[in-house]
């Protein structure tokens, strides 16, 4: 059984440490803040043996060097992470990485950046999705194209619905406001948004989230929904997605 330790990092990132008690191995999922990761690992009595980066942004790979210097951890990452640190093993769509006997499939979820991957552990029912999909939102499209981003989201939609999604930021409350604007008649969304407000009022994280719930409420995963398409236009789901993404940028 894997242990997942989640903790706040920087202003609104989450840090994740994934620990296999049988082997003693520990993976850092992204590295927003190297010192904080080392501190959290030490408090748990864990030593970080691997880093799995989702994409090259500094709030995801900026702590690689400090963690490697302190632990000798292996860096597993898409090629673009070389902008920030050396990589021991470059990964791309279709690759498999392992934490002891736990396997993770590498999925291309580019769109926020090029070379953005998610790590899906099918036997554990979890996926680390970085800044591709958020609870009730998706990442800003910095480097990608709408078609590419939509195809990436389709790969996430294809995961088993009971999958737990670990996204990298606490953006849910702001995302919920836009989601309600995008899809105002969605009753499941209204229930979800109220729950998010209540959790944030108590300072409780809204991450992780469940894929099934996102499929019913996250407008960016629902760009092919008839009601959303009618409201936002677009001859294809990718075009509807593009309209939603643009509206969110200026919301
Ligand atoms: Zn990012
Ligand atoms: Fe980020």
């Amino acid at each position: 059984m894997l242990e997942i330790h989640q903790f706040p990092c920087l202003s609104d990132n989450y840090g994740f440490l994934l620990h296999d008690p049988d082997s003693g191995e520990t993976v850092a999922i992204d590295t927003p803040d190297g010192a904080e990761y080392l501190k959290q690992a030490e408090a748990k009595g864990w030593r970080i043996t691997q880093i799995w980066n989702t994409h090259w942004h500094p709030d995801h790979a900026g702590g690689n060097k400090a963690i490697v210097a302190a632990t000798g951890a292996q860096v597993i990452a898409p090629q673009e992470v070389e902008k920030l640190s050396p990589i021991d093993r470059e990964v791309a769509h279709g690759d498999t990485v392992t934490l002891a006997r736990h396997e993770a499939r590498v999925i291309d979820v580019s769109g926020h950046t090029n070379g953005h991957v998610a790590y899906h552990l099918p036997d554990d029912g979890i996926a680390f999705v970085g800044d591709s999909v958020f609870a009730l939102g998706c990442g800003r499209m910095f480097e990608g194209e709408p078609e590419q981003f939509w195809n990436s989201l389709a790969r996430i939609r294809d995961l088993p619905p009971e999958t737990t999604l670990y996204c990298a930021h606490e953006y849910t409350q702001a995302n919920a406001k836009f989601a309600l604007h995008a899809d105002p008649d969605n009753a499941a969304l209204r229930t979800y948004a109220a729950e998010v407000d209540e959790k944030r009022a108590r300072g409780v994280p809204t991450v992780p989230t469940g894929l099934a719930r996102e499929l019913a409420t996250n407008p960016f995963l629902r760009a092919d929904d008839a009601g959303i398409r009618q409201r936002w236009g677009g001859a294809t789901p990718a075009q509807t997605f593009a309209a939603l993404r643009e509206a969110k940028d200026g919301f």
Side-chain angles (χ1 to χ4, degrees):
M1 192 63 192
L2 282 179
E3 287 177 47
I4 303 168
H5 176 49
Q6 175 177 332
F7 48 94
C9 244
L10 306 179
S11 58
D12 50 32
N13 282 74
Y14 284 118
F16 305 105
L17 289 169
L18 204 54
H19 178 72
D20 174 59
D22 299 331
S23 65
E25 269 211 76
T26 302
V27 174
I29 306 289
D30 280 334
T31 62
D33 179 337
E36 184 63 23
Y37 266 63
L38 291 168
K39 192 178 111 188
Q40 295 283 338
E42 193 185 334
K44 284 282 190 183
W46 300 347
R47 192 175 70 85
I48 299 171
T49 50
Q50 298 183 55
I51 295 168
W52 296 355
N53 293 120
T54 61
H55 65 294
W56 71 268
H57 281 162
D59 65 313
H60 297 260
N64 283 10
K65 281 182 176 168
I67 293 173
V68 170
T71 65
Q74 283 245 313
V75 177
I76 292 173
Q79 181 258 319
E80 286 80 354
V81 167
E82 272 177 355
K83 293 177 202 189
L84 300 188
S85 88
I87 299 174
D88 295 300
R89 184 183 160 201
E90 199 179 299
V91 287
H93 187 73
D95 289 341
T96 298
V97 299
T98 57
L99 163 57
R101 50 187 185 74
H102 297 266
E103 285 199 342
R105 291 172 43 236
V106 178
I107 303 172
D108 172 25
V109 291
S110 299
H112 171 70
T113 63
N114 291 319
H116 190 313
V117 299
Y119 297 92
H120 174 226
L121 291 83
D123 296 340
D124 301 276
I126 58 178
F128 295 91
V129 296
D131 290 353
S132 60
V133 67
F134 294 121
L136 291 177
C138 75
R140 219 172 246 267
M141 195 167 62
F142 285 116
E143 297 175 353
E145 300 292 332
E147 184 91 33
Q148 172 193 18
F149 210 151
W150 173 249
N151 290 338
S152 294
L153 295 180
R155 287 182 205 109
I156 289 169
R157 298 200 317 172
D158 283 344
L159 298 177
E162 61 277 12
T163 305
T164 299
L165 302 178
Y166 288 85
C167 18
H169 291 270
E170 180 60 62
Y171 288 161
T172 317
Q173 201 165 24
N175 287 343
K177 289 195 179 76
F178 176 76
L180 287 166
H181 168 68
D183 191 14
D185 303 326
N186 186 329
L189 170 58
R190 270 186 266 127
T191 305
Y192 186 178
E195 202 177 290
V196 167
D197 286 341
E198 183 269 329
K199 276 190 174 166
R200 295 312 295 153
R202 290 188 290 124
V204 172
T206 63
V207 172
T209 180
L211 178 57
R213 189 171 215 188
E214 296 301 322
L215 290 173
T217 55
N218 186 327
F220 296 98
L221 294 178
R222 293 162 53 75
D224 59 348
D225 174 81
I228 290 188
R229 188 187 288 205
Q230 196 176 17
R231 189 173 287 271
W232 292 93
T236 64
Q239 287 175 10
T240 307
F241 168 80
L244 282 167
R245 188 56 263 176
E246 200 183 320
K248 172 71 165 68
D249 289 348
F251 187 69

